[in-house]
Each structure stands twice: as structure tokens, then as C-alpha cells.
Amino acid sequence: MTALESKQALTVLADDAEDTARWMVDRTSGAFETRRLQLLDTVPDVVGYYSEGSAALAADAYMDARWGVGGAFVAAPIVLDRTVKIRRGVAWASDPMSLGDFEMASSRFAKLVRTEMTRPYRDTTLGNGARDGMFVGYKRIARGESCGFCKALAARGAVFKKSTVYFAAHDYCQCTAAAAFVGQPHGPEADVMQYTASKRRRTPAEKAAINDWAASYE
């Protein structure tokens, strides 16, 4: 399975996750606080279910990309415990229900679930790469309709090689990470702006420069 095919499979899984999230909102009943508690009890497990599928896709894609590379290695799915953050997200997503706006709540839950279940795909790629001596870095795989920021980070098929680099992702970001290995042809190393945009913390001047840079890819 190629990186693009794996991303397409993830998109199908994420679409199903969104549908499930919207269905769950529709299935709640009772007063607002009762509905919120129902979602607090169930959404984390649903995110966990889809996260396992996401991580498994990434592990398979990692091994497919590694085919022919020397050294024994077996990629393992990685799903980090984000229960607390997911529950906070549920509290935020359910707020519109207090005003009877179930359409907004459904949209928020779809966004929350898709964002969270996509994360393990990237965590699996980068986590396995951190313990694989043949891993060079990762390439960002963006969609054609991605925002300028994501397109700019994925430009030229750039490979992010620094072990400390952060995978910059906004809410609802659907970019994935594809592994690059020693001995395989791959794109150039990420440039200064791509690395700057991937920092966890940026100065106001850096943020302004990144915004201008990303706008050129819109």
C-alpha cells in the first residue's frame, strides 16, 4: 500500500468516524446535562476504536514503505492515552446542545472525532521511526484541497529529518506522515520555513512570516 493509498483508506475510516459521531448526538436523549453525560461516557471509547484502526493503517503503511530496507524491524500501532483531552473536547462540542443547536453540536463532534482519530496515524509513524535505525524522517502527505499551511509544509515532498521536529497540525487537519528510509530515493530535506512552521512555539515575527509564506500556497 502506497502512502497515498494508505491516506485514502484513512479518509474512508475518518468519514465513517464522523458519521458515527453525528449519529451518537442524534441518539442522546433527556435534558442537556443528561445528554452531555451520555456523550462523555461513550465518545472516548468510540474515538479509541477508530484510533486503533488509524494506528493499524499507519503500521502497515510503515512496513510497506520499509520493504527492501536492511535491518529487522516490526512496526507497532501506537495509540496514546488522550482520554482527558477527549473528554474536554466532548464538553466543548456539547455546549451548543444547551441552546438546542444540535446541528452545531453534531458538526463539533464530527470535527473532534476526526481530529483525534487521525492523530494516532502520525504518532505511529513517528513513534516507530524514533526506534528504527533506518528511518531518515517523514514526509507530509496533504490533500489537494488542504489549506495553504499544510500545502506549504508538504511542498517539494520535503523530508523532515530533525528528531526534535513537531508535526504541526491544526484542528481538523487530515495530513498524514509517511516514513522515509536510508537507501531510498526521497525528496529534499525540509527548508528553514518548513522547520520554523513545525515548531511548537513561534515568536510573533515567525508567525507573521509563516502566515505570509502559507498564503502563497492557497
Side-chain angles (χ1 to χ4, degrees):
M1 182 181 292
T2 66
L4 182 56
E5 289 170 340
S6 183
K7 181 173 179 57
Q8 291 170 340
L10 179 65
T11 297
V12 172
L13 185 66
D15 287 345
D16 189 66
E18 279 199 25
D19 290 341
T20 299
R22 294 179 187 277
W23 176 83
M24 291 176 71
V25 173
D26 290 340
R27 293 286 294 177
T28 59
S29 60
F32 164 63
E33 286 299 338
T34 300
R35 290 174 183 265
R36 171 177 274 179
L37 286 173
Q38 290 168 5
L39 292 165
L40 282 168
D41 286 341
T42 56
V43 169
D45 287 340
V46 170
V47 171
Y49 170 79
Y50 284 102
S51 292
E52 289 176 3
S54 171
L57 276 174
D60 287 345
Y62 190 100
M63 293 307 297
D64 286 346
R66 203 184 186 283
W67 187 85
V69 174
F73 187 84
V74 178
I78 296 175
V79 180
L80 303 178
D81 184 0
R82 289 179 55 83
T83 303
V84 172
K85 292 186 178 181
I86 292 169
R87 286 175 64 85
R88 288 174 183 166
V90 171
W92 162 78
S94 60
D95 276 345
M97 297 170 66
S98 65
L99 302 174
D101 192 343
F102 291 91
E103 183 176 349
M104 175 62 76
S106 291
S107 178
R108 285 189 177 189
F109 273 102
K111 182 177 183 178
L112 169 67
V113 171
R114 190 171 199 129
T115 297
E116 287 295 334
M117 63 80 63
T118 300
R119 185 185 297 271
Y121 190 105
R122 300 189 289 260
D123 290 340
T124 295
T125 301
L126 301 183
N128 280 283
R131 61 186 185 87
D132 184 355
M134 301 303 286
F135 180 80
V136 171
Y138 74 87
K139 298 175 287 184
R140 189 185 189 96
I141 309 298
R143 300 183 304 163
E145 62 269 32
S146 293
C147 66
F149 178 76
C150 291
K151 289 178 181 177
L153 285 170
R156 304 176 300 120
V159 177
F160 292 81
K161 296 184 177 182
K162 295 181 180 179
S163 60
T164 56
V165 70
Y166 172 66
F167 192 103
H170 53 78
D171 286 345
Y172 214 51
C173 179
Q174 297 176 48
C175 292
T176 54
F181 299 96
V182 173
Q184 293 181 340
H186 51 72
E189 183 172 2
D191 60 28
V192 173
M193 282 302 298
Q194 287 172 314
Y195 274 125
T196 300
S198 296
K199 291 167 61 176
R200 285 184 179 272
R201 294 180 177 84
R202 290 157 261 172
T203 66
E206 287 174 334
K207 289 179 180 178
I210 291 166
N211 289 338
D212 291 341
W213 170 68
S216 67
Y217 285 85
E218 292 286 0

